[in-house]
Amino acid sequence: MEYSPILHSLHVVPSSHVKNKLLVFLIMLSLWVYMIYCCVAYCSTVPDLAYGSASRRDKDAAGDKREPSLGASRDLLNNENDLDSRGDEWDDTRAEAKAPGDNAMSAFLNESESRKLPQAIIIGVKKGGTRALLEFLRLHPDIRAVGAEPHFFDRNYDKGLEWYRELMPKSSEGQLTMEKTPSYYVTKEVPARIHTMSKDTKLIVVVRDPVTRAISDYTQTRSKKPDIPSFESLTFKNISAGLIDTTWSAVQIGMYAKHLERWLQFFPMEQLLFVSGEHLISDPAGEMARVQDFLGLRKVVTERHFHFNPAKGFPCLKRPEGNSKPHCLGKTKGRTHPNIDPEVVQRLRDFYKPFNSQFYHMTGHDFGWD
Ligand SMILES: Nc1ncnc2c1ncn2[C@@H]1O[C@H](COP(=O)(O)OS(=O)(=O)O)[C@@H](OP(=O)(O)O)[C@H]1O
């Protein structure tokens, strides 16, 4: 038969047209199948998890940042207005450390997480280095800690344990929940209250030379209230008689042995760990080894996590892997202290000597302040 283009087109065009239609139909079908699959199987779970984790994250963040309503006190001025007390330093380091895809996984794991009352608390002392210690500890995967200071046992006790528990971040079974509120160490009612929550609570106290601590405390107050009297005049009840004012909190907090006596009425010494604020700066890894040991944790936070910043005079945190910039605590840590009359400093040293000796004796550790 002779070739006829007309016949050919009559024969071919309809068939390619059908093929095209078939192709479009198949594509549409697979799209529909995919969409149905998404809606029924995938979409019904993933957005839930994603939403769940997002809302949980928001809630956790809110929990971390939620400021408990606080009664008016001098500490309120000293601490709660201190942005560093809200505790978000180095959070970005931890966020960066998450691998992509971790969100879905952590959302899944979150399902088995719950908020728990803290099993360990950093109870003091104010200006001892408590923020640095908490942030060092937050690097540990087995620790979940609330960033802000809850002040539950001193200022918010009437709100009840459920209120307190709600402030805590979610944690899984093997993780320890922690918080830090430095005023606990010196507040009379706190040892009994923590004991009532759990007699097994582990207690950590960061202590520092009481004279430097007092000056640091004063420096913080003055940064908010520049018109306060001089350190020298606040130190003495009667300046000519050289009588130290032990009712001034900056002086009183440093009488560590006196406060420790109260704690020992409720807790055995083995349940308390005293961290040297000075060592936390000069040998953070060494001090962290003691803390992790005390908490029964694997030694995860080591020298690889620290980088000493000579300009700041403090160790800052770095991720062991990678070469990102180390993260340091904010400006409210390491404020320049005013020069204090050396005679007043010496008077304070003499005043603290017997308290320090008693403290060394009680803890079995010479902190070397004298
Ligand atoms: N790594 C690191 N970075 C910065 N600062 C450090 C660090 N380690 C310890 N410190 C010392 O911590 C002091 C503040 O103590 P706290 O965090 O306990 O203060 S607060 O009570 O929470 O306000 C703060 O006291 P000042 O220097 O007087 O500001 C620091 O000396």
Side-chain angles (χ1 to χ4, degrees), residues 79 82 85 90 125-132 136 149 180 182 208 216 220 277 280-281 314-316 329 332-335 337:
N79 254 337
D82 185 348
S85 300
W90 298 322
V125 298
K126 185 180 172 196
K127 306 318 289 178
T130 55
R131 172 59 58 195
F136 294 172
E149 294 171 8
K180 79 119 179 163
R208 174 185 188 186
S216 170
Q220 175 170 283
L280 204 57
I281 296 170
F314 293 116
C316 299
L329 283 181
T332 59
K333 306 295 171 189
R335 293 183 179 101
H337 294 180

mmCIF file of all heavy atoms in Angstrom, residues 79 82 85 90 125-132 136 149 180 182 208 216 220 277 280-281 314-316 329 332-335 337, ligand 1:
data_model
loop_
_atom_site.group_PDB
_atom_site.id
_atom_site.type_symbol
_atom_site.label_atom_id
_atom_site.label_comp_id
_atom_site.label_asym_id
_atom_site.label_seq_id
_atom_site.Cartn_x
_atom_site.Cartn_y
_atom_site.Cartn_z
ATOM 1 N N ASN A 79 19.000 40.742 91.976
ATOM 2 C CA ASN A 79 19.037 39.537 91.142
ATOM 3 C C ASN A 79 18.086 39.545 89.968
ATOM 4 O O ASN A 79 18.482 39.268 88.862
ATOM 5 C CB ASN A 79 18.699 38.312 92.004
ATOM 6 C CG ASN A 79 19.925 37.516 92.282
ATOM 7 O OD1 ASN A 79 20.886 37.613 91.534
ATOM 8 N ND2 ASN A 79 19.891 36.746 93.335
ATOM 9 N N ASP A 82 18.717 41.400 86.976
ATOM 10 C CA ASP A 82 19.976 41.020 86.362
ATOM 11 C C ASP A 82 19.654 40.055 85.221
ATOM 12 O O ASP A 82 19.233 38.930 85.450
ATOM 13 C CB ASP A 82 20.836 40.325 87.433
ATOM 14 C CG ASP A 82 22.208 40.002 86.921
ATOM 15 O OD1 ASP A 82 22.415 40.092 85.709
ATOM 16 O OD2 ASP A 82 23.060 39.665 87.756
ATOM 17 N N SER A 85 20.563 36.511 85.307
ATOM 18 C CA SER A 85 19.859 35.576 86.188
ATOM 19 C C SER A 85 18.754 34.852 85.454
ATOM 20 O O SER A 85 18.176 33.923 85.959
ATOM 21 C CB SER A 85 19.246 36.325 87.374
ATOM 22 O OG SER A 85 20.267 36.952 88.071
ATOM 23 N N TRP A 90 24.527 30.769 76.202
ATOM 24 C CA TRP A 90 25.029 29.534 75.607
ATOM 25 C C TRP A 90 23.943 28.609 75.095
ATOM 26 O O TRP A 90 24.227 27.530 74.623
ATOM 27 C CB TRP A 90 25.943 28.786 76.588
ATOM 28 C CG TRP A 90 27.139 29.585 76.931
ATOM 29 C CD1 TRP A 90 27.858 30.381 76.095
ATOM 30 C CD2 TRP A 90 27.786 29.691 78.196
ATOM 31 N NE1 TRP A 90 28.884 30.977 76.750
ATOM 32 C CE2 TRP A 90 28.872 30.559 78.056
ATOM 33 C CE3 TRP A 90 27.545 29.123 79.434
ATOM 34 C CZ2 TRP A 90 29.727 30.879 79.095
ATOM 35 C CZ3 TRP A 90 28.397 29.441 80.466
ATOM 36 C CH2 TRP A 90 29.475 30.310 80.296
ATOM 37 N N VAL A 125 26.480 30.238 96.353
ATOM 38 C CA VAL A 125 26.041 31.456 97.001
ATOM 39 C C VAL A 125 25.979 32.575 95.965
ATOM 40 O O VAL A 125 26.602 32.461 94.896
ATOM 41 C CB VAL A 125 27.015 31.897 98.148
ATOM 42 C CG1 VAL A 125 27.063 30.864 99.230
ATOM 43 C CG2 VAL A 125 28.416 32.216 97.625
ATOM 44 N N LYS A 126 25.213 33.584 96.287
ATOM 45 C CA LYS A 126 25.096 34.718 95.376
ATOM 46 C C LYS A 126 26.491 35.264 95.040
ATOM 47 O O LYS A 126 27.321 35.442 95.945
ATOM 48 C CB LYS A 126 24.254 35.792 96.080
ATOM 49 C CG LYS A 126 23.944 36.979 95.225
ATOM 50 C CD LYS A 126 23.114 37.963 96.030
ATOM 51 C CE LYS A 126 22.956 39.258 95.266
ATOM 52 N NZ LYS A 126 22.508 40.346 96.136
ATOM 53 N N LYS A 127 26.733 35.496 93.780
ATOM 54 C CA LYS A 127 28.000 36.001 93.231
ATOM 55 C C LYS A 127 29.167 35.011 93.390
ATOM 56 O O LYS A 127 30.330 35.390 93.280
ATOM 57 C CB LYS A 127 28.409 37.373 93.834
ATOM 58 C CG LYS A 127 27.384 38.479 93.752
ATOM 59 C CD LYS A 127 26.645 38.569 92.462
ATOM 60 C CE LYS A 127 27.450 39.066 91.296
ATOM 61 N NZ LYS A 127 26.593 39.053 90.052
ATOM 62 N N GLY A 128 28.820 33.760 93.648
ATOM 63 C CA GLY A 128 29.877 32.753 93.803
ATOM 64 C C GLY A 128 30.360 32.196 92.475
ATOM 65 O O GLY A 128 31.473 31.666 92.376
ATOM 66 N N GLY A 129 29.498 32.289 91.447
ATOM 67 C CA GLY A 129 29.820 31.678 90.153
ATOM 68 C C GLY A 129 28.741 30.665 89.784
ATOM 69 O O GLY A 129 28.959 29.736 89.002
ATOM 70 N N THR A 130 27.550 30.870 90.360
ATOM 71 C CA THR A 130 26.451 29.909 90.178
ATOM 72 C C THR A 130 25.966 29.848 88.729
ATOM 73 O O THR A 130 25.620 28.784 88.233
ATOM 74 C CB THR A 130 25.264 30.270 91.098
ATOM 75 O OG1 THR A 130 24.878 31.629 90.849
ATOM 76 C CG2 THR A 130 25.632 30.131 92.561
ATOM 77 N N ARG A 131 25.940 30.993 88.052
ATOM 78 C CA ARG A 131 25.484 30.995 86.654
ATOM 79 C C ARG A 131 26.450 30.203 85.782
ATOM 80 O O ARG A 131 26.034 29.391 84.950
ATOM 81 C CB ARG A 131 25.344 32.441 86.151
ATOM 82 C CG ARG A 131 25.054 32.582 84.665
ATOM 83 C CD ARG A 131 23.787 31.887 84.215
ATOM 84 N NE ARG A 131 22.623 32.365 84.936
ATOM 85 C CZ ARG A 131 21.453 31.733 84.950
ATOM 86 N NH1 ARG A 131 21.290 30.591 84.305
ATOM 87 N NH2 ARG A 131 20.432 32.215 85.643
ATOM 88 N N ALA A 132 27.742 30.438 85.998
ATOM 89 C CA ALA A 132 28.744 29.718 85.199
ATOM 90 C C ALA A 132 28.578 28.215 85.416
ATOM 91 O O ALA A 132 28.524 27.442 84.452
ATOM 92 C CB ALA A 132 30.152 30.171 85.584
ATOM 93 N N PHE A 136 27.635 25.497 82.593
ATOM 94 C CA PHE A 136 28.569 24.392 82.298
ATOM 95 C C PHE A 136 27.798 23.066 82.361
ATOM 96 O O PHE A 136 27.962 22.186 81.525
ATOM 97 C CB PHE A 136 29.721 24.341 83.304
ATOM 98 C CG PHE A 136 30.675 25.527 83.278
ATOM 99 C CD1 PHE A 136 31.664 25.665 84.250
ATOM 100 C CD2 PHE A 136 30.591 26.488 82.283
ATOM 101 C CE1 PHE A 136 32.542 26.744 84.233
ATOM 102 C CE2 PHE A 136 31.459 27.583 82.261
ATOM 103 C CZ PHE A 136 32.437 27.706 83.238
ATOM 104 N N GLU A 149 16.057 31.819 87.633
ATOM 105 C CA GLU A 149 16.048 31.402 89.042
ATOM 106 C C GLU A 149 14.598 31.333 89.537
ATOM 107 O O GLU A 149 13.936 32.359 89.608
ATOM 108 C CB GLU A 149 16.845 32.411 89.876
ATOM 109 C CG GLU A 149 18.321 32.416 89.524
ATOM 110 C CD GLU A 149 19.089 33.561 90.181
ATOM 111 O OE1 GLU A 149 18.506 34.261 91.039
ATOM 112 O OE2 GLU A 149 20.258 33.752 89.818
ATOM 113 N N LYS A 180 18.907 26.625 89.769
ATOM 114 C CA LYS A 180 19.791 27.345 90.697
ATOM 115 C C LYS A 180 19.103 28.596 91.197
ATOM 116 O O LYS A 180 18.453 29.327 90.436
ATOM 117 C CB LYS A 180 21.113 27.692 90.015
ATOM 118 C CG LYS A 180 21.082 28.895 89.090
ATOM 119 C CD LYS A 180 22.035 29.986 89.562
ATOM 120 C CE LYS A 180 22.058 31.191 88.653
ATOM 121 N NZ LYS A 180 22.616 32.383 89.228
ATOM 122 N N PRO A 182 20.564 31.267 94.067
ATOM 123 C CA PRO A 182 21.639 31.469 95.044
ATOM 124 C C PRO A 182 21.179 31.908 96.428
ATOM 125 O O PRO A 182 21.895 31.674 97.410
ATOM 126 C CB PRO A 182 22.505 32.568 94.400
ATOM 127 C CG PRO A 182 22.146 32.567 92.953
ATOM 128 C CD PRO A 182 20.728 32.104 92.867
ATOM 129 N N ARG A 208 33.044 31.401 97.302
ATOM 130 C CA ARG A 208 34.118 32.256 96.802
ATOM 131 C C ARG A 208 34.614 33.089 97.978
ATOM 132 O O ARG A 208 33.845 33.321 98.932
ATOM 133 C CB ARG A 208 33.474 33.148 95.732
ATOM 134 C CG ARG A 208 34.310 34.218 95.130
ATOM 135 C CD ARG A 208 33.422 35.038 94.190
ATOM 136 N NE ARG A 208 34.168 35.984 93.413
ATOM 137 C CZ ARG A 208 33.593 36.880 92.611
ATOM 138 N NH1 ARG A 208 32.295 36.929 92.472
ATOM 139 N NH2 ARG A 208 34.344 37.725 91.930
ATOM 140 N N SER A 216 31.729 42.037 95.024
ATOM 141 C CA SER A 216 30.997 41.705 93.794
ATOM 142 C C SER A 216 29.504 42.000 93.969
ATOM 143 O O SER A 216 28.850 42.571 93.084
ATOM 144 C CB SER A 216 31.215 40.230 93.465
ATOM 145 O OG SER A 216 30.367 39.819 92.435
ATOM 146 N N GLN A 220 27.254 44.822 91.979
ATOM 147 C CA GLN A 220 26.000 44.545 91.255
ATOM 148 C C GLN A 220 24.895 45.515 91.695
ATOM 149 O O GLN A 220 24.195 46.087 90.862
ATOM 150 C CB GLN A 220 25.545 43.108 91.509
ATOM 151 C CG GLN A 220 24.190 42.808 90.878
ATOM 152 C CD GLN A 220 23.849 41.333 90.904
ATOM 153 O OE1 GLN A 220 24.372 40.564 90.119
ATOM 154 N NE2 GLN A 220 22.988 40.945 91.808
ATOM 155 N N GLY A 277 34.562 28.709 93.760
ATOM 156 C CA GLY A 277 34.321 29.698 92.706
ATOM 157 C C GLY A 277 35.616 30.082 92.013
ATOM 158 O O GLY A 277 35.640 30.343 90.802
ATOM 159 N N LEU A 280 36.598 27.296 89.676
ATOM 160 C CA LEU A 280 35.676 27.242 88.537
ATOM 161 C C LEU A 280 36.193 28.146 87.408
ATOM 162 O O LEU A 280 35.898 27.918 86.233
ATOM 163 C CB LEU A 280 34.281 27.706 88.985
ATOM 164 C CG LEU A 280 33.080 27.231 88.185
ATOM 165 C CD1 LEU A 280 32.998 25.710 88.125
ATOM 166 C CD2 LEU A 280 31.800 27.806 88.768
ATOM 167 N N ILE A 281 36.975 29.146 87.795
ATOM 168 C CA ILE A 281 37.570 30.034 86.785
ATOM 169 C C ILE A 281 38.942 29.504 86.345
ATOM 170 O O ILE A 281 39.228 29.426 85.148
ATOM 171 C CB ILE A 281 37.697 31.481 87.346
ATOM 172 C CG1 ILE A 281 36.299 32.040 87.630
ATOM 173 C CG2 ILE A 281 38.470 32.383 86.377
ATOM 174 C CD1 ILE A 281 36.279 33.352 88.403
ATOM 175 N N PHE A 314 37.949 34.958 81.985
ATOM 176 C CA PHE A 314 37.081 33.834 82.343
ATOM 177 C C PHE A 314 37.144 32.732 81.289
ATOM 178 O O PHE A 314 37.388 33.011 80.109
ATOM 179 C CB PHE A 314 35.622 34.289 82.440
ATOM 180 C CG PHE A 314 35.352 35.232 83.567
ATOM 181 C CD1 PHE A 314 34.939 36.542 83.313
ATOM 182 C CD2 PHE A 314 35.507 34.827 84.875
ATOM 183 C CE1 PHE A 314 34.689 37.415 84.351
ATOM 184 C CE2 PHE A 314 35.253 35.698 85.926
ATOM 185 C CZ PHE A 314 34.843 36.994 85.661
ATOM 186 N N PRO A 315 36.866 31.506 81.731
ATOM 187 C CA PRO A 315 36.697 30.456 80.719
ATOM 188 C C PRO A 315 35.362 30.651 80.004
ATOM 189 O O PRO A 315 34.367 31.011 80.630
ATOM 190 C CB PRO A 315 36.689 29.158 81.545
ATOM 191 C CG PRO A 315 36.335 29.560 82.927
ATOM 192 C CD PRO A 315 36.702 31.007 83.101
ATOM 193 N N CYS A 316 35.384 30.452 78.721
ATOM 194 C CA CYS A 316 34.160 30.509 77.927
ATOM 195 C C CYS A 316 33.946 29.116 77.355
ATOM 196 O O CYS A 316 34.857 28.282 77.373
ATOM 197 C CB CYS A 316 34.302 31.554 76.824
ATOM 198 S SG CYS A 316 34.579 33.200 77.534
ATOM 199 N N LEU A 329 29.904 34.262 79.172
ATOM 200 C CA LEU A 329 28.751 34.813 79.886
ATOM 201 C C LEU A 329 28.634 36.305 79.566
ATOM 202 O O LEU A 329 29.600 36.931 79.146
ATOM 203 C CB LEU A 329 28.911 34.618 81.392
ATOM 204 C CG LEU A 329 28.628 33.217 81.943
ATOM 205 C CD1 LEU A 329 28.821 33.210 83.456
ATOM 206 C CD2 LEU A 329 27.209 32.765 81.627
ATOM 207 N N THR A 332 26.951 41.163 82.641
ATOM 208 C CA THR A 332 26.661 41.310 84.074
ATOM 209 C C THR A 332 27.533 40.384 84.924
ATOM 210 O O THR A 332 27.417 40.381 86.141
ATOM 211 C CB THR A 332 25.173 41.039 84.372
ATOM 212 O OG1 THR A 332 24.876 39.710 83.950
ATOM 213 C CG2 THR A 332 24.281 42.018 83.652
ATOM 214 N N LYS A 333 28.360 39.590 84.250
ATOM 215 C CA LYS A 333 29.347 38.788 84.988
ATOM 216 C C LYS A 333 30.712 39.401 84.681
ATOM 217 O O LYS A 333 31.011 39.707 83.516
ATOM 218 C CB LYS A 333 29.331 37.323 84.549
ATOM 219 C CG LYS A 333 27.959 36.676 84.620
ATOM 220 C CD LYS A 333 27.412 36.568 86.036
ATOM 221 C CE LYS A 333 25.968 36.117 86.001
ATOM 222 N NZ LYS A 333 25.301 36.179 87.274
ATOM 223 N N GLY A 334 31.494 39.541 85.722
ATOM 224 C CA GLY A 334 32.827 40.123 85.519
ATOM 225 C C GLY A 334 32.798 41.643 85.434
ATOM 226 O O GLY A 334 33.604 42.242 84.732
ATOM 227 N N ARG A 335 31.862 42.271 86.164
ATOM 228 C CA ARG A 335 31.881 43.741 86.232
ATOM 229 C C ARG A 335 33.167 44.182 86.932
ATOM 230 O O ARG A 335 33.659 43.489 87.830
ATOM 231 C CB ARG A 335 30.690 44.259 87.059
ATOM 232 C CG ARG A 335 29.337 44.024 86.440
ATOM 233 C CD ARG A 335 28.281 44.652 87.356
ATOM 234 N NE ARG A 335 26.938 44.486 86.835
ATOM 235 C CZ ARG A 335 26.085 43.568 87.266
ATOM 236 N NH1 ARG A 335 26.437 42.727 88.222
ATOM 237 N NH2 ARG A 335 24.877 43.469 86.747
ATOM 238 N N HIS A 337 35.200 45.733 89.625
ATOM 239 C CA HIS A 337 34.920 46.062 91.026
ATOM 240 C C HIS A 337 35.543 47.417 91.369
ATOM 241 O O HIS A 337 36.626 47.732 90.867
ATOM 242 C CB HIS A 337 35.519 44.996 91.958
ATOM 243 C CG HIS A 337 34.868 43.650 91.812
ATOM 244 N ND1 HIS A 337 35.257 42.548 92.547
ATOM 245 C CD2 HIS A 337 33.853 43.215 91.023
ATOM 246 C CE1 HIS A 337 34.502 41.494 92.212
ATOM 247 N NE2 HIS A 337 33.654 41.890 91.285
HETATM 248 N N1 LIG B 1 33.110 31.467 83.252
HETATM 249 C C1 LIG B 1 32.715 32.552 83.895
HETATM 250 N N2 LIG B 1 32.301 33.635 83.225
HETATM 251 C C2 LIG B 1 31.898 34.733 83.896
HETATM 252 N N3 LIG B 1 31.870 34.847 85.237
HETATM 253 C C3 LIG B 1 32.273 33.798 85.948
HETATM 254 C C4 LIG B 1 32.713 32.619 85.320
HETATM 255 N N4 LIG B 1 33.042 31.746 86.280
HETATM 256 C C5 LIG B 1 32.838 32.354 87.440
HETATM 257 N N5 LIG B 1 32.377 33.597 87.247
HETATM 258 C C6 LIG B 1 32.059 34.528 88.328
HETATM 259 O O1 LIG B 1 30.664 34.476 88.573
HETATM 260 C C7 LIG B 1 30.370 35.638 89.314
HETATM 261 C C8 LIG B 1 28.892 35.837 89.347
HETATM 262 O O2 LIG B 1 28.370 34.848 90.174
HETATM 263 P P1 LIG B 1 26.910 34.300 90.047
HETATM 264 O O3 LIG B 1 26.670 33.801 88.684
HETATM 265 O O4 LIG B 1 26.708 33.341 91.151
HETATM 266 O O5 LIG B 1 26.054 35.624 90.289
HETATM 267 S S1 LIG B 1 24.509 35.720 90.671
HETATM 268 O O6 LIG B 1 24.398 35.488 92.102
HETATM 269 O O7 LIG B 1 23.768 34.748 89.862
HETATM 270 O O8 LIG B 1 24.149 37.109 90.317
HETATM 271 C C9 LIG B 1 31.144 36.726 88.621
HETATM 272 O O9 LIG B 1 31.476 37.692 89.592
HETATM 273 P P2 LIG B 1 31.981 39.149 89.225
HETATM 274 O O10 LIG B 1 33.290 38.962 88.518
HETATM 275 O O11 LIG B 1 32.150 39.852 90.500
HETATM 276 O O12 LIG B 1 30.945 39.746 88.342
HETATM 277 C C10 LIG B 1 32.364 35.999 88.062
HETATM 278 O O13 LIG B 1 33.539 36.312 88.736
#
